[in-house]
Amino acid sequence: MLKGIKSGVCMAALLLAVQANAADNQLTASEKQAGWSLLFDGKDMSQWRNFKSETLSPKWKIQDGAMTLAEKGAGDILTKASYKNFELQLDWKIAIAGNSGIFFLVDETGHAIYSHAPEIQILDNERHSDNKIDSHLSGSLYDMVASPVSSQKQAGEWNHVVIKVKDSHLVITQNDVVTTSIVIGSTTWNNLVASSKFANWQGFAVKDSGHIGLQDHGDQVWFKNIKIREL
């Protein structure tokens, strides 16, 4: 009898664990209660549009439950909604020798999506030519803060990124490793900007709200489980 009880307890624990983890592109009950919403449900990309456009290029497609840049020339995309204090999480993977990025605080007053928006780098660290600078490797706050090696995976593997902005405090986590924790607009932030390629970019990271953006760098990239909550 005792053996049967233990077996039943184990099965119940396993069932609870399965129920706590939603399938791809779904929210768990606890996530719904915490205020999370989906930016992609695995079926359509209706919450996204191209930069400076009201429509979305058909070269962005859905493949095996993931948003993917299937062809060159798809263009950078952004959420239709803007966010100020928020927490974003998503999974990404990049093709061999690929390059892409995740933007936040995007506005459309510049000539390109990257003109004013900070970027979290997506890269095949081993094969892409932009791997010579540590702050250009995956999970880095691009050209400003290098991500730890422990946060990085091989091309073709799924990575989990969380971006949290609360009262200008930015925290980036990749694969459960904190890669950046900094206050936007602080002396430390301003010094990093001054030492980066963005030093003379008028309007870079001056807005305290904006869109979430995904980059077309000409290489195939996949995104899924894109979830956000306002703080």
Side-chain angles (χ1 to χ4, degrees), residues 9 13 20 25 44 47 74 95 101 103 112 132 144 155 186 191 216 229:
V9 171
N25 307 308
D44 71 69
Q47 298 191 68
F103 298 99
K132 309 300 188 297
M144 293 176 63
S186 65
N191 288 339
D216 173 3
R229 63 173 175 172

Side-chain angles (χ1 to χ4, degrees), residues 34-203:
W36 290 92
S37 61
L38 290 172
L39 289 176
F40 173 61
D41 65 1
K43 300 175 183 178
D44 71 69
M45 295 177 281
S46 59
Q47 298 191 68
W48 299 82
R49 61 180 176 83
N50 277 93
F51 182 71
K52 291 191 177 183
S53 173
E54 295 303 316
T55 60
L56 182 69
S57 168
K59 294 180 179 180
W60 280 94
K61 300 182 182 298
I62 299 173
Q63 183 182 92
D64 298 326
M67 292 171 50
T68 183
L69 189 156
E71 302 176 49
K72 292 181 179 180
D76 302 320
I77 62 174
L78 71 167
T79 54
K80 291 180 177 179
S82 294
Y83 303 92
K84 184 176 182 178
N85 294 315
F86 66 89
E87 187 172 10
L88 171 79
Q89 58 175 308
L90 59 77
D91 297 332
W92 67 265
K93 69 175 179 178
I94 190 69
I96 297 298
N99 186 336
S100 186
I102 306 161
F103 298 99
F104 59 98
L105 304 181
V106 176
D107 68 41
E108 294 177 280
T109 61
H111 75 283
I113 197 169
Y114 53 77
S115 297
H116 299 157
E119 175 187 359
I120 290 84
Q121 174 75 314
I122 291 175
L123 197 77
D124 177 351
N125 294 335
E126 293 186 9
R127 302 170 185 86
H128 195 277
S129 59
D130 193 20
N131 63 358
K132 309 300 188 297
I133 301 173
D134 57 7
S135 62
H136 290 191
L137 301 180
S138 74
S140 298
L141 179 61
Y142 188 74
D143 211 49
M144 293 176 63
V145 180
S147 63
V149 173
S150 58
S151 74
Q152 301 163 3
K153 293 185 178 181
Q154 301 287 321
E157 296 184 26
W158 284 105
N159 297 261
H160 184 67
V161 166
V162 179
I163 304 166
K164 183 177 180 180
V165 178
K166 174 66 172 175
D167 298 329
S168 297
H169 183 198
L170 167 66
V171 179
I172 303 168
T173 304
Q174 180 168 271
N175 300 322
D176 299 320
V177 177
V178 175
T179 64
T180 299
S181 179
I182 192 171
V183 176
I184 299 171
S186 65
T187 301
T188 301
W189 173 274
N190 292 337
N191 288 339
L192 287 169
V193 171
S195 300
S196 74
K197 65 187 293 182
F198 312 116
N200 297 314
W201 291 27
Q202 294 297 316

